[in-house]
Amino acid sequence: MEQTSLNNIKQRAFDKIGSMYLAAATNAGEIAPYWSIDEERAEAFKKRDLIDVDVYNYILTLIEKDRT
């Protein structure tokens, strides 16, 4: 029973982080998502988005390793 519950939690975590990863990757892939702010801040936000993508990717990798 506990193993099934743990597997359900792992699956939900994977799904949640996966959706966050997809959103971050979409934002990072936009050509000009920050067109309304100055170029320096836009570049800082773009770097932040790319770091978010790397973080979510790393978390997904850890979850997948734990599931196997």
Side-chain angles (χ1 to χ4, degrees):
M1 178 76 174
E2 287 183 28
Q3 187 64 26
T4 301
S5 178
L6 183 60
N7 286 339
N8 287 339
I9 290 171
K10 288 178 185 179
Q11 182 61 48
R12 286 194 305 245
F14 185 82
D15 293 344
K16 178 70 174 178
I17 295 297
S19 67
M20 295 168 76
Y21 171 78
L22 180 61
T26 300
N27 286 343
E30 295 272 331
I31 294 173
Y34 306 113
W35 59 269
S36 64
I37 60 176
D38 65 87
E39 192 172 321
E40 187 175 310
R41 283 191 71 200
E43 186 64 32
F45 284 140
K46 183 74 165 183
K47 286 180 183 177
R48 183 206 60 200
D49 289 345
L50 292 173
I51 289 171
D52 287 348
V53 169
D54 288 341
V55 168
Y56 293 134
N57 187 30
Y58 178 71
I59 293 170
L60 285 170
T61 301
L62 291 177
I63 292 171
E64 191 60 35
K65 283 182 183 177
D66 189 57
R67 288 172 42 173
T68 58

